[in-house]
């Protein structure tokens, strides 16, 4: 995240419109989804990730190597947990789909019993960092819908980023892989598809074409959950480093965001000339089944987080000059449903029971009730 914040962000005054976008203004006939008054959970600073318990009562909030489990109704801290090592984790806390386990880690990943908070299993890092072993941190963690595997994205490897998949019941390492070519990721998570057979990861980096022209792009990679066999599912899903990704619950939509609106000057090491690289200015929505680009949504700044609520796509962009940080788009009708200010949210989490929205970021956690 620091790498993204440190980049030179230049906001385009005019957003380039494309044919696939039907509307970028709220319809007067659209009813807001969330109440814009919120409950603040002032239990942590520098929050980087969050996850709802399956019963919708507790919210687990990660900050560094600390994890606070909070009863949202009472705002009381149910439990505080500390990871074995310090580190800078991202999207590093998840409840298993069956609600039995709570997974958290910044270096080693610990699996807790979600009711007793006793340690069920600890997963050691399967990669070696030759320079600084403890510099390897968790970039994302996810659990299969079948509750049988844990997939972890690791940051800080000497060779870039790595993915490892463990058996949840036994803790056995099933496979590991280093992402191809020099890869740069920010807050883009791993996603396991609806069938539980493929792990999706948007990986971007610098590359040269046959004319030695420098470019930056991201591809969507798919890994077989059981074997780790990799294929490029969709080429050029984004023109820049992926910063956020979300898959709809029905598996129909995959949204990918980048550091929109930025312009960088970089050295082409083959021609020894400085070149200007411009990021895109849209959030791209694909069909994972066909690889087709379904539509785009204008983006004016770095997309920190994305999440789906049915056919609604929730977007948080980091822009100090604007206050409407969260926007909600109806993917089906292509209408902007709602926008409201909250600030930088690294994680957007929909309560599985009552549909309320939790936003987790550096300022803490905020919960927005759903309108009925």
């Amino acid at each position: 995240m620091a790498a993204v914040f440190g980049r030179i962000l230049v906001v385009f005054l005019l957003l380039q419109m494309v044919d696939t976008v039907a509307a970028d203004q709220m319809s007067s006939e659209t009813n807001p989804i969330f109440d814009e008054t919120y409950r603040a959970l002032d239990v942590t600073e520098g929050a980087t990730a969050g996850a709802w318990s399956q019963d919708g009562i507790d919210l687990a909030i990660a900050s560094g190597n600390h994890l606070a489990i909070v009863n949202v109704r009472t705002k009381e801290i149910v439990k505080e947990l500390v990871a074995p090592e310090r580190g800078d984790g991202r999207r590093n806390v998840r409840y298993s789909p069956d609600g039995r386990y709570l997974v958290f880690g910044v270096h080693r990943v610990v699996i807790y019993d979600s009711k007793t908070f006793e340690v069920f299993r600890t997963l050691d890092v399967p990669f070696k960092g030759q320079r600084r072993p403890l510099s390897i941190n968790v970039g994302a963690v996810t659990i299969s819908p079948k509750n049988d595997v844990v997939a972890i994205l690791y940051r800080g490897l000497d060779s870039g980023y790595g993915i490892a998949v463990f058996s949840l019941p036994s803790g056995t390492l099933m496979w590991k892989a280093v992402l191809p070519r020099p890869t740069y990721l920010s807050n883009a998570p791993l996603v396991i598809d609806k069938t539980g057979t493929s792990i999706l990861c948007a990986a971007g980096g610098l590359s040269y074409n046959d004319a030695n022209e420098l470019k930056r792009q991201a591809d969507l990679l798919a890994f077989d959950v059981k074997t780790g066999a990799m294929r490029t599912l969709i080429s050029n899903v984004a023109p820049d480093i992926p910063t956020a990704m979300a898959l709809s619950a029905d598996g129909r939509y995959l949204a990918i965001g980048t550091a929109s609106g930025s312009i960088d000057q970089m050295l082409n090491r083959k021609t020894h000339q400085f070149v200007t690289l411009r990021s895109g200015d849209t959030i791209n929505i694909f069909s994972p089944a066909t690889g087709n680009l379904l539509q785009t949504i204008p983006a004016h700044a770095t997309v920190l987080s994305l999440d789906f609520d049915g056919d609604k796509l929730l977007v948080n962009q980091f822009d100090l000059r604007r206050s409407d940080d969260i926007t909600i788009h109806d993917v089906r009708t292509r209408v902007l449903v709602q926008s409201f200010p909250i600030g930088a949210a690294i994680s957007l989490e929909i309560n599985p029971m009552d549909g309320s929205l939790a936003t987790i970021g550096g300022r803490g956690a905020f919960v927005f009730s759903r309108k009925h």
Side-chain angles (χ1 to χ4, degrees), residues 208-226:
Y208 293 88
N209 60 20
D210 293 338
N212 288 331
E213 295 173 329
L214 182 65
K215 66 175 183 176
R216 187 165 51 206
Q217 73 173 58
D219 301 325
L220 182 66
L221 308 178
F223 296 83
D224 184 277
V225 167
K226 292 184 178 180

Side-chain angles (χ1 to χ4, degrees), residues 181-193:
R181 70 180 181 172
T183 300
Y184 303 91
L185 298 174
S186 180
N187 196 40
L190 292 182
V191 172
I192 298 182
D193 68 3

Side-chain angles (χ1 to χ4, degrees), residues 68-248:
I69 295 89
V70 184
N71 182 309
V72 173
R73 297 173 184 173
T74 65
K75 295 187 178 181
E76 294 180 352
I77 298 177
V78 177
K79 187 71 174 180
E80 289 185 278
L81 301 170
V82 180
E85 299 92 7
R86 294 184 178 274
D88 181 26
R90 290 286 186 271
R91 300 193 66 88
N92 56 340
V93 56
R94 285 287 109 188
Y95 280 92
S96 61
D98 62 6
R100 293 181 59 190
Y101 303 108
L102 174 61
V103 181
F104 172 60
V106 294
H107 183 70
R108 286 183 292 174
V109 171
V110 182
I111 303 174
Y112 298 92
D113 182 294
S114 64
K115 304 302 181 185
T116 66
F117 301 109
E118 296 293 328
V119 175
F120 171 71
R121 195 174 307 286
T122 299
L123 305 176
D124 291 329
V125 180
F127 298 98
K128 301 295 183 182
Q130 296 178 1
R131 297 187 183 94
R132 292 182 301 157
L134 287 180
S135 68
I136 299 176
N137 292 321
V138 173
V141 61
T142 189
I143 303 173
S144 166
K146 302 177 182 179
N147 298 286
D148 57 347
V149 300
V150 178
I152 305 168
L153 175 71
Y154 292 97
R155 309 157 58 226
L157 280 66
D158 292 341
S159 52
Y161 287 75
I163 294 176
V165 172
F166 296 85
S167 165
L168 179 55
S170 67
T172 302
L173 175 65
M174 298 171 60
W175 57 267
K176 63 179 180 178
V178 175
L179 296 187
R181 70 180 181 172
T183 300
Y184 303 91
L185 298 174
S186 180
N187 196 40
L190 292 182
V191 172
I192 298 182
D193 68 3
K194 184 181 178 182
T195 66
T197 59
S198 294
I199 299 170
L200 308 182
C201 178
L206 294 169
S207 62
Y208 293 88
N209 60 20
D210 293 338
N212 288 331
E213 295 173 329
L214 182 65
K215 66 175 183 176
R216 187 165 51 206
Q217 73 173 58
D219 301 325
L220 182 66
L221 308 178
F223 296 83
D224 184 277
V225 167
K226 292 184 178 180
T227 67
M230 188 203 78
R231 60 192 176 99
T232 300
L233 187 63
I234 307 174
S235 296
N236 200 22
V237 291
D240 206 336
I241 299 168
T243 58
M245 184 170 71
L247 181 69
S248 62

